[in-house]
Amino acid sequence: MTRYAFLDRDGTLVRDPGYVHRVEDYALLPGVALGLRQLQEAGFRLAIVTNQSGIGRGLFSEDDFARFQAHLVSDLAAQGVEIDATFHCPHGPDEGCPCRKPAPGLLEQAERQLGADLPSSWMIGDGERDARAALAAGLAGAVWLGGPAPAPGDSHRAAPDFAGAARLILKRPSPSRR
Ligand SMILES: [Mg+2]
Ligand SMILES: [Zn+2]
């Protein structure tokens, strides 16, 4: 059973002025490296799941996205954090794709390609659609940064920042299988 912490990127791991894609604008948010190391040490594998409609909207290219992503992954690696994979949705909101969060498509890709065990995995994000994608994919739960919990129930929780989100996940007992 491979437990994953699935990570939204923009506004969760990195500062997001809106459609962030230039390496010059890269800024890792406080508490992220520490929180990720703690999740890793507790046995979670890590993967990024990110909506990138800026590609579909023509604001930046797949190459821009890949460059920014490589910068993020290598910065995290230098801080002892290993990201297994990144899954991104390049589509616009009107394209009706199955991968744009809140749809569960990116998480289902992770299940197929990484062997992720979704019922024991968690999502950390800063948007309601992150939590809704987690719910749709049947994850153990989601932590939403900077807002009230978007869905009822103990498995959807709010935290003030990334380190707080990691702490919330790590203090919970291992989930029972559904
Ligand atoms: Mg976000
Ligand atoms: Zn998509």
Side-chain angles (χ1 to χ4, degrees):
M1 163 170 115
T2 309
R3 292 182 88 181
Y4 269 82
F6 292 111
L7 313 161
D8 173 52
R9 194 190 78 178
D10 300 343
T12 299
L13 302 180
V14 301
R15 193 171 56 86
D16 182 24
Y19 303 106
V20 64
H21 64 281
R22 298 187 314 171
V23 171
E24 307 90 276
D25 297 329
Y26 171 82
L28 195 65
L29 289 168
V32 167
L34 175 64
L36 290 175
R37 280 196 302 269
Q38 289 171 336
L39 287 165
Q40 218 169 235
E41 281 157 18
F44 281 92
R45 310 287 311 182
L46 305 173
I48 295 171
V49 288
T50 176
N51 284 356
Q52 292 295 328
S53 71
I55 297 170
R57 297 174 205 263
L59 300 174
F60 55 90
S61 68
E62 286 280 357
D63 282 352
D64 294 327
F65 169 74
R67 246 190 316 274
F68 188 95
Q69 196 57 32
H71 189 77
L72 167 62
V73 167
S74 70
D75 183 35
L76 288 174
Q79 300 184 65
V81 173
E82 185 187 348
I83 301 294
D84 285 357
T86 297
F87 301 93
H88 75 287
C89 164
H91 306 110
D94 303 327
E95 292 184 57
C97 72
C99 44
R100 181 175 161 81
K101 296 176 288 183
L106 297 177
L107 294 165
E108 291 165 356
Q109 282 179 40
E111 181 182 35
R112 286 193 302 272
Q113 293 180 29
L114 302 174
D117 183 64
L118 298 185
S120 63
S121 296
W122 281 77
M123 166 77 87
I124 302 176
D126 72 323
E128 179 169 349
R129 60 171 74 109
D130 299 317
R132 296 212 175 279
L135 197 63
L139 299 199
V143 183
W144 193 19
L145 304 176
D154 192 41
S155 61
H156 285 68
R157 309 283 299 277
D161 56 25
F162 195 91
R167 271 196 302 277
L168 253 183
I169 292 171
L170 294 176
K171 78 178 188 199
R172 291 175 59 83
S174 286
S176 53
R177 303 300 301 273
R178 295 179 191 185

